[in-house]
Structures are given as structure tokens and as C-alpha cells.
């Protein structure tokens, strides 16, 4: 059984590739470029005992023609690739176009291949109820959708891409039908095994590097990357996952709580992690000249909550302890030389 993982070199995708290989699947991964030899070598070594060596091919969400060869003879596709930059781009279309049109191109190639049974799409809790326009009085479920106009460019790109995927499979004639299952992760943290930075690592990096002498009153619904990877693989084969969305979240954590956990573990190793909440007026002043703080200001003090019943009952995932998730993420960043 051949599985295609798109964007195989990313933070989450490397864990999916590794777990698939550990379970004995044959895995093909896509990357935008095969030129970076060191990166490719690292990917090939994710699971040293793998029965089948990882196959890597080039494909780009902005090049629809690149997907046909990538999906050839594949039974399952796990479509993870999507732009996830640390900062909002000048033009929203820089994110929305590859996310939406890229997803459509992947699905189109899957139908044409005739071998694909199911596609698992990595969406986000942002497509469900996360961000300034979301109702903080409720616990969101898989029934909920964010209105794209209430979201920033990234949230919009994820919501519109997921919608486009559901619409695409719904419209397929019977003879072309493929199954779709969607994974909607919260803020993904945990060990980094691709040796590079991603948006997910930003909070831990900033805390360990003491980028600011304070923490902001921010709350994150967190989940471990290993649980997210396992969820994709379960959603790939379980009958009950087809045609469904799955919120993948452990619990809500304040930035101050994260900082306290990291401070306890790393203080003796020379990391001076800030643990005090920033007073409101100072945060507001800082936001005037700091783009990242400005971006998070609408989320200050807000708690976005998600129901993880399907994750536990249907996908049978028992999430890692948040403390382990955070500490192992920090150690992996330090070991990879990604912390100053
Ligand atoms: P990464 O930035 O590590 O991964 C993003 C991946 O998308 C990379 O492999 C990147 O490829 C690929 N990609 C971006 N643009 C293109 C393109 N034009 N063509 C082909 N590939 C492209 O982030 P994550 O692993 O965290 O994110 C993976 C997925 O999970 C994304 O869909 C993201 O939206 C989603 N997600 C992430 C969450 C999180 O907290 N991390 C939460 C919820 C959802 P390359 O390596 O070549 O740059």
C-alpha cells in the first residue's frame, strides 16, 4: 500500500512519514525541491529500520501539472502541504491561492490516477472557530465553521481550502468518487525532527531566547505533533473517518503556564525564560512597533475551546502530556542548534 504525503519535509509531515514507515507502509513524499542534499538525507533517515526506503518527488502547489506523476499508483494521499508563514504576507492571495488551488490540483490528480481510495487533508482549528471573530463562550465541535471574512490571511487560506476540498469531492460523479477525511489540529507543538524552524516553534524559541522580558496574556489550544501524525494515519484507514472532520486538540494552555514549565526545566541550563505577564498598557505600546505583538493583540485574554471527543472515541488517541510536549520541543530545538 503506497501512501503519498505532500510537503513531506515539514514539521508535522515528517512525523507522519516516520509513523507510516514504522507501521510498514511504503511512503512517497513530495518536496518543492530535491536540491538540498542535506535536507533530503535527513528525510531519508527518519525511520532507519523502514522496510521500504522513502521515495521523494518534486511537486509544488502552484504547479498543477506536478501532481499527476506524484500520485501515480498511490492508494492513500495525506495532503499536508500549505503555506504557514510566521508573518502575514502583504497580499492575502500569496497564501490563499496555493492553499485553495493547490488542494484542488492535488484532488484532481487523485481522481485522474484511479488508484486513490482516500485523501486525508490537514486543515486547522482556524477553519472551525479560532481567531478574533470566534465565539469564546462556546466549545467548538466538528459541526462549526468560521466565516472566512472574520479570519486573517492564513485562517482564510485554511478555511477556503477545506471548503474547496469538500465541495470538490461532493461534486464528483459516482464513477470518480474518492473519500475525504479532514484533520483539524489546534496549535501543534512537540519534538522537531526535520531540523528546521517552523511557525509552530516560534513561541518556545522566543521564550527560551527571552526575546521579551515578559509573556503576553495569550491562550493556546495545544496538541502534540505525534498525536496529530497518529490522527492522520487513523483517519486514513478507519471506516468511520471517511466524510468527517476531526478536531485534534489536547487542552488550553496560557503562555505563562508554558513559560513556567520551561523555566523549571531549563533555568539550571542557563535559559532565563520570562514568566511574568506583561501589563496591558506596556503590551499596547509595544504593539505599536512590533508586528508580531500587533498581530496577536486581538487574541489577548481570549480562550478558544474545542471538543476532542471524536479524537478520543473514534480515532482512539490519548494525547501526550502537555508538559512533555513542551519540554521535548524545547530540547529538540536546542539539539538542532535552532536556539540562540
Ligand atoms: P511547515 O511550515 O513545517 O510545513 C508546511 C509545508 O507546506 C512544508 O512542507 C512546505 O514545503 C509546504 N508548502 C508550502 N507551500 C508550498 C507550495 N507552494 N507547494 C508545495 N508545498 C508547499 O508547517 P507545519 O508542519 O506546521 O504545517 C503543516 C500543515 O499543518 C499546514 O497545512 C498547516 O496549515 C497545518 N496546520 C499546522 C498547525 C500548527 O500549529 N503547526 C495547526 C493547524 C494546521 P517546503 O518544505 O518546501 O517549504
Amino acid at each position: 500500500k503506497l501512501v503519498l504525503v505532500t510537503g513531506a519535509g515539514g514539521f508535522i509531515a515528517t512525523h507522519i512519514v516516520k509513523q507510516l514507515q514504522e507501521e510498514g507502509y511504503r511512503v512517497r513524499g513530495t518536496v518543492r525541491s530535491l536540491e538540498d542534499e542535506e535536507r533530503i538525507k535527513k528525510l531519508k533517515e527518519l525511520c532507519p529500520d523502514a522496510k521500504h526506503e522513502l521515495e521523494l518527488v518534486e511537486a509544488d502547489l502552484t504547479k498543477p501539472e506536478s501532481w499527476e506523476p506524484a500520485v501515480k499508483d498511490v492508494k492513500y494521499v495525506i495532503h499536508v502541504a500549505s503555506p504557514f508563514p510566521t508573518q502575514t504576507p502583504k497580499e492575502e492571495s500569496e497564501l490563499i491561492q496555493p492553499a485553495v488551488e493547490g488542494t484542488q490540483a492535488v484532488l484532481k490528480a487523485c481522481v485522474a490516477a484511479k488508484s486513490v481510495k482516500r485523501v486525508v487533508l490537514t486543515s486547522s482549528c482556524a477553519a472551525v472557530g479560532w481567531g478574533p471573530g470566534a465565539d469564546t463562550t462556546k466549545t467548538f465541535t466538528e459541526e462549526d465553521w468560521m466565516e472566512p471574512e472574520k479570519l486573517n490571511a492564513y485562517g482564510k487560506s485554511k478555511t477556503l481550502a477545506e471548503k474547496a476540498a469538500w465541495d470538490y469531492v461532493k461534486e464528483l460523479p459516482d464513477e470518480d468518487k474518492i473519500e475525504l477525511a479532514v484533520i483539524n489540529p489546534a496549535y501543534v507543538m512537540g519534538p522537531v525532527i526535520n531540523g528546521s524552524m517552523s511557525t509552530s516553534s516560534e513561541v518556545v524559541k522566543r521564550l527560551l531566547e527571552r526575546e521579551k522580558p515578559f509573556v503576553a496574556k495569550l491562550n493556546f489550544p495545544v496538541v502534540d505533533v505525534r498525536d496529530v501524525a497518529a490522527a492522520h494515519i487513523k483517519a486514513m484507514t478507519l471506516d468511520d473517518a471517511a466524510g468527517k472532520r476531526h478536531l485534534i486538540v489536547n487542552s488550553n494552555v496560557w503562555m505563562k503556564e508554558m513559560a513556567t514549565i520551561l523555566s523549571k526545566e531549563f533555568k539550571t541550563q542557563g535559559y532565563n525564560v520570562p514568566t511574568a505577564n506583561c501589563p496591558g498598557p506596556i503590551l499596547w505600546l509595544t504593539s505599536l512597533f512590533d508586528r508580531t505583538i500587533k498581530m496577536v493583540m486581538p487574541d489577548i485574554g481570549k480562550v478558544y475551546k474545542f471538543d476532542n471527543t471524536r479524537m478520543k472515541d473514534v480515532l482512539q488517541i490519548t494525547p501526550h502530556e502537555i508538559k512533555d510536549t513542551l519540554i521535548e520541543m524545547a530540547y529538540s530545538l536546542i539539539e538542532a542548534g535552532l536556539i540562540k
Side-chain angles (χ1 to χ4, degrees), residues 7-13 32 39 59-62 67 80-84 98 122-125 154 158 185-188 194 198 200:
F11 168 54
I12 297 174
R32 272 186 282 190
R39 185 171 187 227
D60 193 311
L61 295 171
T62 60
W67 293 97
V80 194
S82 204
F84 188 21
T122 317
S123 180
S124 167
C125 280
Y154 171 70
K158 297 305 288 176
Y187 184 40
V188 186
N194 65 351
S198 70
S200 262

